[in-house]
Amino acid sequence: MRFPPPDHNLLQFLRTSLQVHHRFISGSLSRADSPIYVIGNPSADLDSIISALVYSYFANNRVPRDYPRPHVPVINLDNVSAGPELRRLRPEFIKALELSRSDAGESLEGPVLKEYFLTVADFTTQIKGREGDQIQADSVLVDWNALPVRSSGDRSGKGSLPGLPVKFTVLGCIDHHVDEGFLRPIASTQPNLVETTGSCTSLVVTELEKFGLWQKSNAASANEEQLAKLALCPILIDTENLQSKHKVTNFDTVARDFLLSKATTVGASWDVENFYNEIFETKQNSLELLTVDEIFGRDYKEWVEKPSSSTDQTSLQIGICSVVKSIPWIVQKAGNSQTFIDCLKSFASERKLDVVAVMTAFTLNDGQFSRELLVWGLNSSGENAVTAFASNASTELGLETWQSLDGDDDTQNIKDTISTADNGMRLWVQTNLAKTRKQVAPLVRAAAASL
C-alpha cells in the first residue's frame, strides 16, 4: 500500500502532535486512541532528534495500517525544556530546521519552540503530581534499541525513562547500535530495522520507503522538500559528507540519493555543500557558550553492567561523553588541568558512575580528523574495569601514549595532572579513527562484565 504525501508542513504536524499529547496525559484519550511516542536516545544528537521527527511525520495516522494512530516525537533530554535552552544546547538542530525551510515562515526563536517540541523534561513536568496509576503508553525507539529502566527481564520490550513515571511498551525500533537484548518480537505492521550504518536517519528513510510512507518520484511537494533536507542533515554530518570510508554504508548512499531527488525538485537550485558546511560549522562551534559540565552532558550515554563474578546485585555504572573538541580545548575551557579533572569527577559523582569516559573527535587546522580517549575508574571496581579495558582493547582501538594533537603548549602539564590525579585514569590518542562510541562502549562494558 502506498500513501500520498502528507498535506501539512512539519511545524503544523508538530503543533498538532503536541495537542494530541496533552489530550492523552489529561486522560481524554483511551489507550486504543493514544499516540505512539517516537523516542530518540538520551544523547539527543542531530541523528536522534531528526530520526524521531522524520519517522513521526510520515507515520502519523498511517501506522499501523489496520488502526492508524497519531505519532508524537520526543526529544530525549531529561533536564532541558523546549524553548531558549533547547536552542542554546542544540544550535545545530535549530540551524538544520531553519536551513531546511523553503519559506520565511515563523521565526524559530527560543520561546516559539515550546509550541512545537516535547522533551522528556517537559513530559515529566506536565504529569508531575498527577493522580492515579502510572501512565501506560506505546513507543517506537529510534537511534537506540533499549529503554534504560527495564520492567522485567530480557526481551520484554517494556520499560521506562529515568524520572519519567510512564511505562512504555516498545512496538517498533529503527537503530544502528549493538542489540541490547531488550526488544521483544516486533509485529510486521511496525518498523523493525537494526543494522550497522553511518546514520540512523538512513535507516528511517529505508523503512519509510519500504512501508510505502515516503515514495520515490520525480516530483516532490514543498513539504517533502523540507523533510528531505532535514533528513539529509544527520546523514551528511555523521558520515563527514559521505566521505568517511569507515562509516558510510549502502544504506547511507541510497538514502542520500533518495533525499537529494526530493530536496532539489522545488524552487531554486540548492547548494548541498554549503548546506553541509553551515550545519557542520554550527555543530563545531556549539560548545562555545556551554559550561564544562554541559559539554560533558551534551552527548552522553550511560549503561549498567554486572561483573560475571558478582554473586549479588552489584553492578557497574558506565558513562561515556562524546565531545567534538580536543582534551586541551576542554582543559582551556575549564581554566586549567586540575579544574578539568574536578569538573569530570563532579559530573561522574552526580551520576553515581564507576567508570566515566570522554571520547573526543575533532578536525585539526590541517584538516586531519583525530580522536582521543580518556577512561577513568572512580573506585576499585572501576579501576579494575579500566585495567581490563586497556589490556583487551588497546590494539583494536590503536591506543597510543597521549600528546596534544593541536599544538597546545600545556601538553606536559595535562599529562602530569592526569598521571597524579588518580591511578584509575588513562588518556590516549586513539589512532583507529573508525571506532566510534558504537564500538568503544561495548568494549568498556565487556571489560566491566569480565571482572
Side-chain angles (χ1 to χ4, degrees), residues 140-151:
V140 166
L141 302 184
V142 292
D143 206 15
W144 63 333
N145 60 70
L147 292 170
V149 182
R150 304 190 183 196
S151 297

Side-chain angles (χ1 to χ4, degrees), residues 49-334:
I49 296 174
I50 291 179
S51 288
L53 291 184
V54 173
Y55 178 77
S56 298
Y57 176 86
F58 286 100
N60 185 57
N61 290 322
R62 292 163 148 194
V63 177
R65 290 177 181 173
D66 55 346
Y67 196 94
R69 294 166 62 185
H71 285 62
V72 176
V74 180
I75 298 176
N76 197 349
L77 291 168
D78 62 6
N79 60 353
V80 179
S81 295
E85 283 295 275
L86 179 60
R87 186 181 185 95
R88 183 176 73 88
L89 294 171
R90 295 297 185 275
E92 72 276 18
F93 167 57
I94 306 303
K95 173 65 75 172
L97 275 176
E98 292 172 341
L99 291 179
S100 67
R101 300 173 70 187
S102 58
D103 60 333
E106 184 178 19
S107 175
L108 294 177
E109 295 303 320
V112 174
L113 298 176
K114 286 184 173 293
E115 300 177 21
Y116 300 111
F117 296 104
L118 175 68
T119 71
V120 171
D122 294 326
F123 204 153
T124 303
T125 299
Q126 291 160 5
I127 63 176
K128 188 176 182 180
R130 179 182 182 273
E131 296 182 358
D133 297 332
Q134 183 184 42
I135 294 177
Q136 306 282 326
D138 293 325
S139 66
V140 166
L141 302 184
V142 292
D143 206 15
W144 63 333
N145 60 70
L147 292 170
V149 182
R150 304 190 183 196
S151 297
S152 52
D154 291 344
R155 303 296 178 188
S156 70
K158 295 179 183 290
S160 58
L161 302 172
L164 180 63
V166 178
K167 183 177 181 180
F168 292 104
T169 298
V170 178
L171 303 180
C173 178
I174 305 173
D175 184 38
H176 62 153
H177 295 88
V178 173
D179 185 353
E180 299 281 340
F182 171 79
L183 298 171
R184 63 182 184 175
I186 293 174
S188 60
T189 55
Q190 293 289 345
N192 181 19
L193 183 58
V194 179
E195 290 282 352
T196 299
T197 190
S199 168
C200 182
T201 307
S202 299
L203 300 181
V204 168
V205 173
T206 299
E207 285 292 87
L208 290 174
E209 185 181 4
K210 185 186 81 173
F211 278 86
L213 300 169
W214 203 1
Q215 303 161 32
K216 286 183 179 178
S217 67
N218 294 324
S221 66
N223 294 333
E224 284 185 276
E225 178 187 4
Q226 179 185 6
L227 269 295
K229 290 178 178 178
L230 190 64
L232 269 170
C233 295
I235 296 174
L236 297 177
I237 292 297
D238 284 3
T239 63
E240 299 166 39
N241 203 13
L242 276 292
Q243 298 303 305
S244 174
K245 63 181 181 180
H246 304 299
K247 296 180 181 179
V248 177
T249 69
N250 189 55
F251 286 110
D252 300 304
T253 54
V254 170
R256 185 270 314 271
D257 293 343
F258 175 94
L259 295 170
L260 278 177
S261 70
K262 300 284 188 183
T264 56
T265 57
V266 178
S269 60
W270 180 56
D271 188 342
V272 66
E273 292 296 323
N274 185 62
F275 177 74
Y276 165 74
N277 289 333
E278 282 200 55
I279 296 170
F280 176 79
E281 183 178 354
T282 302
K283 181 180 180 183
Q284 289 299 107
N285 295 331
S286 62
L287 305 186
E288 297 289 349
L289 298 178
L290 305 187
T291 65
V292 174
D293 187 73
E294 288 171 338
I295 289 169
F296 291 142
R298 188 183 186 279
D299 188 354
Y300 171 76
K301 289 184 180 178
E302 197 171 284
W303 297 265
V304 176
E305 202 68 45
K306 186 175 182 179
S308 57
S309 62
S310 176
T311 57
D312 53 24
Q313 297 302 309
T314 301
S315 296
L316 272 68
Q317 198 84 10
I318 301 166
I320 301 182
C321 315
S322 292
V323 183
V324 294
K325 296 287 188 179
S326 69
I327 290 293
W329 187 94
I330 309 173
V331 168
Q332 185 176 26
K333 180 78 172 178

